[in-house]
Amino acid sequence: MEIQIRRAEATQLKKKPADESKLGFGDILSDHMFLMDYESGKGWQNPRIEPYHQISIDPAAMGIHYGQEIFEGLKAYRGTDGHILLFRAEENFKRMNRSAQRLCMPDVDIDLVMEGLKKLILLDQDWVPGLRGTSLYVRPTVLATEPHLGVRPSKTYLFFIIIGPVGAYFKEGLSPVKIYVEDVYVRAAVGGVGDAKTAGNYAASLLAAEKAKEKGFTQVLWLDAAERKYIEEVGTMNIFFAIDDELITAPLDGSILPGITRDSVIQIVRDWGIKMSERSLSIDDVIAAAENGRLKEAFGTGTAAVISPVGKITYKGKDHVVAGGNMGDLSQRLYDEIVGLQYGEKADTHGWVQRID
Ligand SMILES: *Cc1c(COP(=O)(O)O)cnc(C)c1O
């Protein structure tokens, strides 16, 4: 399928942010977007790049009412040599197709959307910021559009990709976050949609996150839905604990999101010869390890923040300082390695980095 390109007129072009050191997250979007339409029986059609614009949706569109919506989040980086780099981008579209399957939505042709993404970024390449720590955030999305007020899978969908420059995800930058162990609300249960990147999971997480923020915490640590006992994720990141000489993260048992940063961390620490376990870990074991000095460090992982060190964990009203409230050595080493790869500075032994210009 040929991707049609309609460029924005000079008068439609937006003003680019003047100061890259002040970029936030998620407010600024570039001049163009990629779109295509799906119709049952015909498949995906009309892949195109157009000036960024509002989309019009029927008020009865099924995605609005019944939550058939999936998305991805990835980044393009301005490498140290000036070229534009993608990090494991195909993995995001593979995951999008797994999310699609869970929500009875059509999958996409990965080669086609990768081509669309690259063409979009090249067209808007002046929007890729150059300052270290900044990047171009990429948000692919699929939404059910058929107007019908009955519950069943939609017969039509819209796929789009929007992009925009971002700075650091957390206001604190790399400084350690304070997390609140949530033992009332849950994010997802095994058998549900916790392992799909779908809108409802985030709506379900907001109340706990807002309450934690009111109490001065940055993020919520989620426990399993059945027993409120085992560690799942932190906010919208996967989480790792270094206890003694073992690095531990929750297994992919269906309720957690299979993070690509999570997978990168697992592969890298195994390369480094560090003992890496994907296994269930109870909050009681974490707290006991924190109390007797065996918890060396803890960190969240995700595309937005890469590595987000945990400085304090609060469980049942008691605070536990982690790594002296600082960024641990392993967190720092992993951050340097992954960011070094993303900006094209470190040797890419896994074939994760792709230059697009
Ligand atoms: C996106 C996401 C992650 C992190 O995934 P990455 O591929 O590493 O960005 C982790 N948990 C949740 C709930 C997420 O939505």
Side-chain angles (χ1 to χ4, degrees):
M1 256 186 295
E2 182 95 20
I3 298 172
Q4 302 294 327
I5 299 181
R6 185 161 61 82
R7 286 166 164 272
E9 307 285 331
T11 52
Q12 290 177 297
L13 297 179
K14 302 177 189 173
K15 220 171 135 232
K16 292 190 186 63
D19 186 352
E20 291 187 355
S21 71
K22 294 207 171 69
L23 284 171
F25 191 94
D27 296 318
I28 303 169
L29 293 152
S30 76
D31 288 320
H32 295 87
M33 66 195 293
F34 175 88
L35 305 106
M36 59 181 182
D37 310 304
Y38 180 91
E39 209 181 310
S40 173
K42 293 189 180 158
W44 288 106
Q45 295 168 308
N46 195 14
R48 59 202 186 273
I49 292 172
E50 295 180 344
Y52 188 99
H53 61 80
Q54 301 211 337
I55 49 174
S56 83
I57 294 277
D58 193 291
M62 296 177 79
I64 297 173
H65 300 274
Y66 308 120
Q68 271 188 305
E69 190 270 7
I70 53 175
F71 68 94
E72 272 303 325
L74 64 150
K75 286 173 168 177
Y77 305 85
R78 177 76 66 188
T80 309
D81 65 0
H83 290 292
I84 301 172
L85 307 173
L86 288 174
F87 183 74
R88 308 191 72 184
E90 276 98 351
E91 295 300 319
N92 289 90
F93 291 116
K94 284 188 203 161
R95 183 170 67 192
M96 182 169 234
N97 281 345
R98 293 198 302 272
S99 299
Q101 194 179 23
R102 180 65 183 82
L103 283 121
C104 295
M105 297 168 74
D107 58 4
V108 296
D109 175 0
I110 293 179
D111 291 338
L112 176 66
V113 291
M114 280 297 298
E115 189 194 337
L117 173 61
K118 288 179 204 168
K119 289 203 156 120
L120 175 63
I121 295 173
L122 287 179
L123 189 59
D124 281 348
Q125 58 183 280
D126 293 345
W127 286 88
V128 184
L131 193 69
R132 184 59 172 250
T134 66
S135 54
L136 184 82
Y137 189 74
V138 175
R139 171 54 59 88
T141 307
V142 186
L143 181 68
T145 50
E146 185 190 345
H148 174 69
L149 294 182
V151 181
R152 58 159 172 76
S154 173
K155 293 191 180 115
T156 62
Y157 297 86
L158 174 69
F159 173 98
F160 61 82
I161 304 175
I162 51 178
I163 58 177
V166 296
Y169 188 64
F170 291 115
K171 282 199 288 300
E172 294 101 311
L174 260 188
S175 66
V177 297
K178 292 180 219 149
I179 60 176
Y180 177 79
V181 182
E182 178 57 62
D183 54 4
V184 177
Y185 302 108
V186 294
R187 192 189 83 91
V190 175
V193 294
D195 58 352
K197 236 175 156 66
T198 182
N201 286 333
Y202 305 85
S205 75
L206 293 176
L207 183 58
E210 286 301 299
K211 288 190 171 184
K213 261 178 219 151
E214 273 167 28
K215 291 180 219 150
F217 295 92
T218 331
Q219 295 277 329
V220 166
L221 179 72
W222 300 105
L223 301 177
D224 76 285
E227 298 182 70
R228 309 284 195 282
K229 183 173 170 192
Y230 296 103
I231 303 291
E232 298 234 312
E233 299 199 56
V234 58
T236 55
M237 294 184 289
N238 296 112
I239 186 155
F240 289 71
F241 292 90
I243 298 179
D244 296 325
D245 58 359
E246 181 188 16
L247 190 61
I248 308 161
T249 195
L252 300 179
D253 61 5
S255 58
I256 71 166
L257 205 283
I260 294 159
T261 319
R262 172 189 181 278
D263 183 72
S264 304
V265 164
I266 290 171
Q267 293 197 47
I268 290 168
V269 297
R270 286 196 173 132
D271 290 348
W272 288 346
I274 291 167
K275 184 178 175 197
M276 175 70 237
S277 307
E278 291 173 73
R279 65 172 177 87
S280 299
L281 176 65
S282 71
I283 183 66
D284 292 334
D285 285 350
V286 169
I287 299 301
E291 281 175 349
N292 60 28
R294 292 168 50 232
L295 175 61
K296 301 290 186 287
E297 51 191 284
F299 55 86
T301 66
T303 296
V306 191
I307 301 285
S308 181
V310 172
K312 195 168 84 176
I313 301 176
T314 300
Y315 182 50
K316 297 205 187 289
K318 203 167 161 209
D319 294 345
H320 304 272
V321 173
V322 184
N326 301 309
M327 186 162 190
D329 292 341
L330 182 59
S331 306
Q332 183 71 55
R333 193 177 165 205
L334 278 164
Y335 179 84
D336 292 344
E337 179 68 23
I338 295 174
V339 171
L341 283 164
Q342 289 168 338
Y343 289 86
E345 292 164 0
K346 297 259 182 180
D348 176 25
T349 55
H350 295 96
W352 287 343
V353 182
Q354 189 180 358
R355 184 182 140 184
I356 65 165
D357 61 338

